[in-house]
Amino acid sequence: AVRKAAAFRPIVYICSPYAGGDKEQNIANAQRYCRYAVDSGFLPLAPHLYFPQFMDDTDPAQRQQTLFMSRLLLTKCNEVWVFGEMISQGMASEIRKAESRNKLIRYFTKDCQEVQASCEN
């Protein structure tokens, strides 16, 4: 049998609020944003859904380590997708890293409507 090659899926970094405000709602939103990325033909990477499984966000040292690892993963992505109207401190750090790496940054509403894309050169 001939195997069909898997379709290429660019990796997108999902940038959305985590700890600020309603954490449970923020997690549900991030899951929805990841699903939107999959449905749009992309492979989503959402470290803020992954790292809290084994890192303590309330411990300042672990939070800094988590933010550092998240920014490292961001450098491996093709694009950065920013969701929602509120930019948290952590999100701002991720956006600055994306800009410094000349990543395509796309902005979406919390309802997944694209409003802007930018690439700092």
Side-chain angles (χ1 to χ4, degrees):
V2 176
R3 280 183 28 159
K4 184 179 174 187
F8 175 72
R9 286 182 175 259
I11 301 172
V12 294
Y13 187 96
I14 304 298
C15 182
S16 67
Y18 174 71
D22 184 345
K23 190 160 116 177
E24 295 306 314
Q25 185 61 56
N26 289 344
I27 290 169
N29 287 343
Q31 291 169 336
R32 188 166 46 84
Y33 304 148
C34 287
R35 183 71 230 190
Y36 170 74
V38 168
D39 291 344
S40 300
F42 293 82
L43 190 158
L45 186 61
H48 58 306
L49 292 179
Y50 173 62
F51 288 131
Q53 303 300 313
F54 53 88
M55 298 293 284
D56 182 359
D57 195 58
T58 63
D59 176 313
Q62 287 189 45
R63 177 168 170 73
Q64 285 306 323
Q65 191 175 22
T66 298
L67 291 172
F68 173 76
M69 292 187 296
S70 295
R71 289 189 302 267
L72 272 178
L73 289 173
L74 182 148
T75 66
K76 308 300 183 196
C77 296
N78 299 81
E79 299 180 4
V80 174
W81 291 8
V82 180
F83 287 90
E85 290 71 42
M86 198 274 294
I87 304 293
S88 69
Q89 195 173 5
M91 291 170 67
S93 171
E94 293 167 339
I95 292 167
R96 283 193 303 275
K97 175 57 110 178
E99 288 172 343
S100 76
R101 291 298 182 103
N102 295 318
K103 298 285 182 186
L104 175 65
I105 304 169
R106 296 170 65 184
Y107 292 86
F108 297 83
T109 66
K110 63 182 184 346
D111 298 318
C112 302
Q113 298 298 311
E114 188 165 8
V115 290
Q116 178 187 352
S118 70
C119 184
E120 300 293 324
N121 287 323

